[in-house]
């Protein structure tokens, strides 16, 4: 730290503000704004940090300007959105959430970090930890889904994966937990809108994943660029200073979202950039990403007495400390100097394949139409997502390019079924009104024994600035699907998308439907493995799949209603035109095996604070196919001082079971996990009876139940 003290003493105000300034280079574009005069800015110390740049040579060139040509030689921090892989592209985050597997989450983040660090990047704007319950919102694709407990597991696994055990290692990236908070709750799912969330819900649903990231050592946190209950997060002192730094004890760097400091003017809380800069800095935001508000506004904010030099210094210190922790002062070129080992490329690809096939969720499979018989002689692969390499990568694909050997579903099937004749037609485009290709596509199916219909969204239909009011199949895909379904042949549908798509008619008529999301580079091979049964599906939904957009937001852990839904009862919590029940519940996902759970036990059944409850259940593979069973552990507090959710996830176990095998699945549930956020916003453990439920999804009908009594 002596180095930092010495630097702080030498720095001019302009150099200090330069360290708080992050500017966008142009290798990728992730927001509005124009490229500033980057090189000159680096030399003069007005730019201390960059984003949207990668490449060993490219990052070295700018680093050299900072280290060798600026007055103080302070190294640059180079950040990039390394979200689901860098060169090796893994499934999008929502798809990865379907794995329910923290080890794999950590491994894919580790590989992403290694590859990005090989390209000179030192910080990623990930993991994204926004609990998302509204699939109209395009960024649900980047999220861990609807559940806070899962988001917390994801926070820890991804932070460890990106940062490794030593942040200064040449293959470590600083992680940025984003976007604090409640961005998933934007009004009506509309991008960039405000969120109106109660404080208790903030503390119970939206904030815990960020506390989990801090506990895992995240180097940085990014406030969301929305306003929450009227307080724009970029200026939200109460949550950033009070909660995050004060209560959670976060000591790292707060990085604004893209242009967010200047957008405080649009939010209507600052009259000019001077006020905007002062509000953000005083709220604890250290780095101004691209808005230039700190550069332009902070000198005047100091003059006007809106900020103090001590506050400026504290932020500069945090940024310099991060650079120090990343090892940049000792060797600014350490990232980007390690050459990728060719051998590793194959391992990485294998990991991408494994993650992709595990992310696929088999939603329905009537009469065992899947897996396809290995003897099948002729199939038709129809639809606009069958041969769409670019779409398979999904949003935020970092350095990934469609031409980087992305496997399409058509290619995957050709490779997996070399003796089968495979005919292909797109039939229609993903979007657009042209239906001219439908009859030719139908014509191709004449001799097919089965049809694989590849439907869905384009990669650009979800992600940032990609909210939709209609979350059904776009364009003329329904017309195509209905024409194909009318043939009366076995039809298997793959849905490539960044959100659950509403299509009740499709689920009604298709023999099998798979959620294949955007699975990354190995998409096609992974889908083919599942379709042909060389891989037995194990992915589970990390969100509730609605029947209709009118049901959203929809999520399993709702609070009880005074007049709960009861079929046929008029004055119960429902709609006139649809029941409130989902198309598929949270946790749903079929397998080619058939599993049963039985014999749920809790020990002891009377507990007190500090105890551990041992929960066991017998898992049985009742089928003749080896597979992986998933069991979810939920709790419910039926009577408490505030209404508690109908179910709350507290654990997930995946167990490999051979055909006919039975095994005991065990959880150790700390009694503290029964605590909740009370009306006072304190976490409390209230004595009384707690229900313990275990099942293969959140569907109430399939749950086993037991109870424990918490003594006072
Ligand atoms: C997004 C962030 C992202 C940033 C930098 C913003 O538009 O909201 O998630 O990290 O751009 O690309």
């Amino acid at each position: 730290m002596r180095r930092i003290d010495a630097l702080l003493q030498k720095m001019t105000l302009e150099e200090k503000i330069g360290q708080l300034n992050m500017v966008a280079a142009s290798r990728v574009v992730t927001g509005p704004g124009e490229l500033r005069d980057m090189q000159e800015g680096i030399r003069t110390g007005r730019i201390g940090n960059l984003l949207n740049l990668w490449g060993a040579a490219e990052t070295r060139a700018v680093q050299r300007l900072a280290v060798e040509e600026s007055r103080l030689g302070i190294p640059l921090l180079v950040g990039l959105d390394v979200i689901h892989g860098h060169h090796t592209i893994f499934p999008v985050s929502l798809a990865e959430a379907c794995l329910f597997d923290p080890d794999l989450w950590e491994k894919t983040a580790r590989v992403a970090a290694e590859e990005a660090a090989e390209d000179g990047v030192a910080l990623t704007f990930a993991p994204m930890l926004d609990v998302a319950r509204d699939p109209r919102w395009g960024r649900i694709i980047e999220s861990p889904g609807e559940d806070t407990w899962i988001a917390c597991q994801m926070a820890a696994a991804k932070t460890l994966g990106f940062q490794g055990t030593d942040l200064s290692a040449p293959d470590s990236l600083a992680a940025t937990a984003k976007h604090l908070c409640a961005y998933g709750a934007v009004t009506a799912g509309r991008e960039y809108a405000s969120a109106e969330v109660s404080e208790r819900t903030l503390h119970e649903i939206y904030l815990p994943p960020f506390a989990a990231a801090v506990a895992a050592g995240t180097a940085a946190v990014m406030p969301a660029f929305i306003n929450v209950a009227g307080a724009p997060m970029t200026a939200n002192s109460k949550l950033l200073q009070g909660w995050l730094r004060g209560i959670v004890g976060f000591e790292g760097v707060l990085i604004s979202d893209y242009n967010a400091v200047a957008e405080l003017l649009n939010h209507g809380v600052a009259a000019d950039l001077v006020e905007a800069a002062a509000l953000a800095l005083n709220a604890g935001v250290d780095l101004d990403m691209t808005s230039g508000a700190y550069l332009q506004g902070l000198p005047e904010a100091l003059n006007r007495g809106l900020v103090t030099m001590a506050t400026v210094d504290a932020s500069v210190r945090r940024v310099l400390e991060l650079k120090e922790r990343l090892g940049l002062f000792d060797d600014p070129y350490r990232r980007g100097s390690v050459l990728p080992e060719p051998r590793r490329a194959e391992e990485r690809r294998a990991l991408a394949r494994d993650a992709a096939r595990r992310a696929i969720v088999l939603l329905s499979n009537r009469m065992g139409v899947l897996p396809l018989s290995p003897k099948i002689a002729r199939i038709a692969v129809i639809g606009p997502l069958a041969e769409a390499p670019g779409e398979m990568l999904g949003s935020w694909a970092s350095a990934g390019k469609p031409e980087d050997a992305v496997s399409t579903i058509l290619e995957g099937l050709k490779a997996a079924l070399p003796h089968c004749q495979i005919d292909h037609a797109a039939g229609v485009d993903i979007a657009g009104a042209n239906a001219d290709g439908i009859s030719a596509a139908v014509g191709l199916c004449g001799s097919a024994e089965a049809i694989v219909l590849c439907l869905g969204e384009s990669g650009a239909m979800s992600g940032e600035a990609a909210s939709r009011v209609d979350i059904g199949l776009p364009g003329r895909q329904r017309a195509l699907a209905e024409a194909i379904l009318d043939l009366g042949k076995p039809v298997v549908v793959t849905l490539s998308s960044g959100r659950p798509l509403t299509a009740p008619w499709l689920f009604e008529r298709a023999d099998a439907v798979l959620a294949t999301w955007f699975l990354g580079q190995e998409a096609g091979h992974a889908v083919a493995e599942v379709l042909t049964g060389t891989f037995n599906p194990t992915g589970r939904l990390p969100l509730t799949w609605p029947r209709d957009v009118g049901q959203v937001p929809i999520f399993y852990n709702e609070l009880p209603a005074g007049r709960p839904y009861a079929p046929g009862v008029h004055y119960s919590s429902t709609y006139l035109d649809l029941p409130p029940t989902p198309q598929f519940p949270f946790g749903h996902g079929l397998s080619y095996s058939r599993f049963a759970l039985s014999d749920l036990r809790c020990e002891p059944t009377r507990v007190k604070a500090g105890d551990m409850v041992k929960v066991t259940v017998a898992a049985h593979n009742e089928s003749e196919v080896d597979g992986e069973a998933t069991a979810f552990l939920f709790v419910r507090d039926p009577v408490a001082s505030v209404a508690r959710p109908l179910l709350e996830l507290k654990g997930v176990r995946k167990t490999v079971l051979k055909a006919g095998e039975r095994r005991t699945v065990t959880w150790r549930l700390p009694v503290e996990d029964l605590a909740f956020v009370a009306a006072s916003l304190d976490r409390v453990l209230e004595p009384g009876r707690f229900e313990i439920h275990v099942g293969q999804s959140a569907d109430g009908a399939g749950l086993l139940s037991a109870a424990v009594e918490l003594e006072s």
Side-chain angles (χ1 to χ4, degrees):
M1 292 307 137
R2 237 177 290 137
R3 170 155 52 197
I4 293 175
D5 288 332
L7 269 176
L8 270 167
Q9 278 183 1
K10 283 191 229 154
M11 291 169 90
T12 62
L13 176 62
E14 190 173 58
E15 284 164 337
K16 287 180 182 175
I17 297 174
Q19 288 304 308
L20 308 182
N21 187 24
M22 180 175 252
V23 163
S26 56
R27 197 150 178 196
V28 283
V29 177
T30 61
E34 75 221 33
L35 186 63
R36 318 274 196 300
D37 184 358
M38 205 172 77
Q39 300 201 350
E40 197 45 30
I42 296 171
R43 276 197 201 96
T44 54
R46 286 160 58 88
I47 297 175
N49 314 277
L50 291 177
L51 80 151
N52 291 350
L53 184 73
W54 77 86
E58 290 84 345
T59 52
R60 176 174 280 265
V62 289
Q63 195 62 281
R64 201 192 56 75
L65 289 179
V67 174
E68 292 176 26
E69 297 189 24
S70 76
R71 187 177 79 92
L72 295 170
I74 301 174
L76 286 171
L77 175 67
V78 177
L80 183 70
D81 292 280
V82 181
I83 308 292
H84 55 110
H86 180 56
H87 288 288
T88 307
I89 302 301
F90 299 104
V92 294
S93 307
L94 184 62
E96 254 211 325
C98 301
L99 306 171
F100 287 93
D101 184 341
D103 283 347
L104 259 179
W105 292 336
E106 187 180 330
K107 279 189 191 145
T108 56
R110 186 86 289 273
V111 167
E114 288 167 3
E115 290 186 349
E118 282 162 7
D119 264 347
V121 176
L123 173 138
T124 174
F125 306 114
M128 193 274 217
L129 301 172
D130 295 311
V131 169
R133 298 161 155 190
D134 188 335
R136 290 172 296 186
W137 187 49
R139 302 196 82 169
I140 197 168
I141 187 179
E142 299 173 53
S143 83
E146 75 183 33
D147 185 68
T148 300
W149 188 85
I150 288 296
C152 290
Q153 312 301 307
M154 180 86 91
K158 289 291 178 196
T159 304
L160 290 175
F162 286 131
Q163 298 195 163
T165 45
D166 172 9
L167 204 52
S168 70
D171 61 359
S172 285
L173 290 190
T176 308
K178 74 184 188 186
H179 312 84
L180 185 86
C181 63
Y183 189 5
V186 281
T187 304
R190 182 163 34 87
E191 185 62 299
Y192 308 133
S194 58
E196 189 58 51
V197 180
S198 77
E199 279 214 62
R200 234 171 53 71
T201 302
L202 277 185
H203 285 274
E204 192 149 271
I205 304 295
Y206 293 104
L207 287 171
F210 294 92
V214 173
T218 190
V221 173
M222 181 189 291
F225 41 25
I226 58 157
N227 91 60
V228 177
M233 285 307 305
T234 309
N236 195 326
S237 250
K238 186 171 169 194
L239 285 176
L240 302 183
Q241 298 281 26
W243 181 77
L244 183 69
R245 293 211 194 273
I247 295 173
V248 180
F250 176 63
E251 291 176 347
V253 170
L254 270 164
I255 309 180
S256 87
D257 203 347
Y258 205 110
N259 202 40
V261 181
E263 288 170 17
L264 289 174
L265 273 68
N266 296 343
H267 280 291
V269 295
D272 55 20
L273 285 183
V274 177
E275 284 183 19
L279 279 171
L281 194 81
N282 287 332
V285 175
D286 303 307
L287 276 181
D288 170 4
M289 185 195 285
T290 71
S291 90
Y294 281 7
L295 212 55
Q296 293 177 55
L298 280 183
E300 176 60 15
L302 281 160
N303 283 343
R304 288 192 210 163
L306 298 177
V307 293
T308 65
M309 193 55 107
T311 309
V312 173
D313 283 350
S315 282
V316 175
R317 179 181 291 281
R318 283 193 286 264
V319 172
L320 295 179
E321 276 170 9
L322 175 57
K323 293 183 177 185
E324 178 143 88
R325 288 179 65 208
L326 283 162
L328 290 169
F329 282 106
D330 295 329
D331 176 7
Y333 306 111
R334 62 179 51 203
R335 292 175 186 79
S337 300
V338 185
L339 285 180
E341 286 175 53
R343 185 181 55 80
R344 299 296 311 280
E346 244 168 76
E347 276 170 34
R348 290 168 174 175
R349 196 87 192 193
L351 182 66
R353 164 94 69 112
D354 195 37
R357 62 192 186 176
R358 287 176 173 278
I360 296 169
V361 182
L362 180 59
L363 296 170
S364 62
N365 188 15
R366 254 193 288 278
M367 311 215 267
V369 65
L370 286 178
L372 297 173
S373 156
K375 296 199 200 99
I376 200 158
R378 188 158 186 175
I379 61 172
V381 179
I382 305 295
L385 271 306
E387 186 59 345
E391 312 303 344
M392 296 297 110
L393 297 177
S395 60
W396 299 110
S398 204
K401 295 187 290 300
E403 57 274 26
D404 288 345
V406 177
S407 77
T408 64
I409 300 179
L410 182 65
E411 276 167 29
L413 280 168
K414 284 186 173 163
L417 296 169
H419 305 300
C420 177
Q421 177 168 342
I422 300 185
D423 301 307
H424 164 64
V428 295
D429 293 334
I430 295 174
N434 189 345
D436 294 350
I438 294 182
S439 54
V442 170
L444 261 193
C445 298
S447 321
E449 291 168 49
I451 301 162
V452 177
L453 190 52
C454 303
L455 306 177
E457 300 180 301
S458 68
M461 284 180 177
S462 52
E464 188 179 341
S467 291
R468 296 177 63 203
V469 290
D470 176 354
I471 54 170
L473 283 168
R476 300 306 303 274
Q477 293 188 62
R478 179 169 183 170
L480 171 70
E482 287 182 331
I484 298 284
L485 288 162
D486 285 345
L487 293 171
K489 292 182 177 257
V491 176
V492 172
V493 178
T494 62
L495 286 180
S496 299
S497 65
R499 55 163 66 81
L501 297 178
T502 50
W505 54 272
L506 182 69
F507 297 114
E508 177 85 36
R509 295 190 60 195
D511 297 285
V513 182
L514 300 100
T516 55
W517 315 110
F518 295 120
L519 293 173
Q521 245 159 357
E522 286 292 311
H525 295 306
V527 172
E529 279 199 67
V530 169
L531 292 180
T532 56
T534 52
F535 185 79
N536 188 355
T538 180
R540 298 307 188 98
L541 292 178
L543 42 67
T544 305
W545 193 296
R547 296 168 195 265
D548 190 278
V549 70
Q551 294 179 310
V552 306
I554 187 168
F555 46 98
Y556 80 92
N557 54 347
E558 253 201 85
L559 298 180
R563 296 180 181 184
Y565 169 59
V569 178
H570 183 71
Y571 289 107
S572 80
S573 180
T574 184
Y575 303 97
L576 286 179
D577 44 358
L578 207 65
T581 51
Q583 187 81 55
F584 301 108
F586 174 88
H588 174 74
L590 304 175
S591 154
Y592 299 143
S593 314
R594 201 177 54 257
F595 303 110
L597 302 177
S598 61
D599 215 7
L600 172 64
R601 282 164 207 259
C602 298
E603 272 175 358
T605 50
R606 297 189 78 81
V607 293
K608 47 188 185 334
D611 285 354
M612 193 72 90
V613 186
K614 184 176 166 201
V615 181
T616 55
V617 74
H620 183 198
N621 183 347
E622 292 180 325
S623 69
E624 284 166 15
V625 187
D626 299 350
E628 192 172 51
T630 308
F632 295 92
L633 169 68
F634 299 102
V635 301
R636 181 178 180 200
D637 186 352
V639 182
S641 57
V642 289
R644 302 299 306 141
L646 296 168
L647 289 176
E648 257 185 293
L649 187 68
K650 295 292 173 185
V652 183
R653 285 268 183 277
K654 292 204 152 251
T655 313
V656 174
L657 292 172
K658 295 231 167 293
E661 191 180 354
R662 183 186 297 269
R663 267 187 203 224
T664 302
V665 176
T666 307
W667 289 272
R668 285 177 206 286
L669 180 72
V671 164
E672 274 52 42
D673 279 9
L674 303 175
F676 59 86
V677 180
S680 62
L681 300 186
D682 296 324
R683 267 190 94 70
V684 297
L685 249 187
E686 287 183 358
R689 195 172 73 88
F690 287 82
E691 298 170 2
I692 307 287
H693 301 280
V694 171
Q696 299 192 59
S697 77
D699 180 8
L703 294 175
L704 300 171
S705 303
V708 294
E709 188 76 27
L710 174 60
E711 296 173 345
S712 43

